[in-house]
Amino acid sequence: MKGTDMTATYTWDVFSTLDGYGSYAEPGDWGGYWSKQGPELLAHRAAIFDTEQRMVFGATTFRENAQIMSAGIDPHTLDEWNVRTMRMPATVISSTLRDTLGWPDAKIVSGDAVDIVARLKQESDVPLRSQASLSLNWALMAAGLVDRLQVTIFPVISGQTGTSPILRGAGDFDLELLESRTLDGRTQELVYRPTPR
């Protein structure tokens, strides 16, 4: 049982292009990781998921992740960090989903995301991590519930084909840099503590 003055750390973990896009659309054909993954990035990502965490997803990102799991893809062809992510317990905040879509340890919770995550932070014995889930995490940052914003910036500009701007719906924040690293000599990982202004 957690002490009353202790709360679980909540990390919002998001991938981005240099110009702030989280994905791309046709006619762009960048490939996964914008074709910039390397051994150091993949090993680092796997190490992040070496320790138990609880994943927190919005419905759209959860569907996308669960689809990978249920597509019959050979787990040996997936990057190790993806395999480890899918072994983590997950809380899915959704008013529309009724099915955990094959995720082994997922729970769907309906209600106000801020209330749900505030309660999770009080109750969880392990850190919380959310990948993508943009609108969910914009709301949680505004409420002061995101302890760490972890942005992995891939060295591309996708001004013509970029979609899902990662911070377009966010408020105004001061950022305190907690960690930075360069992976494979090209990809930047920046970890900030956000404070709403």
Side-chain angles (χ1 to χ4, degrees):
M1 189 73 167
K2 293 183 73 65
T4 53
D5 59 341
M6 297 285 288
T7 61
T9 300
Y10 184 102
T11 300
W12 178 24
D13 178 359
V14 64
F15 287 179
S16 176
T17 61
L18 180 62
D19 51 342
Y21 292 103
S23 192
Y24 61 87
E26 295 303 330
D29 186 15
W30 290 97
Y33 310 92
W34 294 273
S35 299
K36 300 294 182 182
Q37 72 272 35
E40 197 174 3
L41 170 76
L42 296 177
H44 175 65
R45 293 295 301 178
I48 288 171
F49 294 92
D50 230 357
T51 55
E52 189 181 350
Q53 299 167 70
R54 172 168 289 279
M55 303 304 297
V56 179
F57 293 108
T60 300
T61 300
F62 179 72
R63 279 190 196 98
E64 291 168 355
N65 278 272
Q67 186 175 15
I68 294 168
M69 179 190 294
S70 61
I73 297 172
D74 179 353
H76 297 98
T77 65
L78 292 173
D79 294 327
E80 181 61 25
W81 76 268
N82 292 116
V83 175
R84 292 179 184 185
T85 300
M86 293 173 192
R87 292 181 187 144
M88 299 290 172
T91 296
V92 185
I93 302 171
S94 173
S95 57
T96 56
L97 272 178
R98 299 287 174 262
D99 185 341
T100 58
L101 307 175
W103 196 283
D105 187 6
K107 179 179 178 185
I108 298 169
V109 183
S110 180
D112 180 78
V114 169
D115 292 343
I116 291 166
V117 171
R119 189 168 58 250
L120 271 177
K121 283 174 62 85
Q122 290 294 328
E123 295 172 356
S124 180
D125 290 325
V126 296
L128 306 172
R129 178 175 292 269
S130 183
Q131 291 175 306
S133 302
L134 301 182
S135 55
L136 168 67
N137 284 297
W138 297 335
L140 297 177
M141 281 216 321
L145 293 173
V146 175
D147 302 299
R148 294 164 57 96
L149 168 59
Q150 179 176 325
V151 184
T152 305
I153 302 174
F154 292 84
V156 300
I157 294 172
S158 59
Q160 298 299 308
T161 58
T163 62
S164 305
I166 64 165
L167 296 170
R168 181 170 289 165
D172 291 356
F173 294 85
D174 276 330
L175 297 175
E176 177 191 347
L177 184 63
L178 302 177
E179 299 173 30
S180 65
R181 58 179 49 87
T182 302
L183 300 160
D184 302 300
R186 59 179 176 245
T187 300
Q188 299 293 313
E189 182 190 81
L190 304 170
V191 181
Y192 296 102
R193 178 181 292 119
T195 305
R197 285 187 57 86

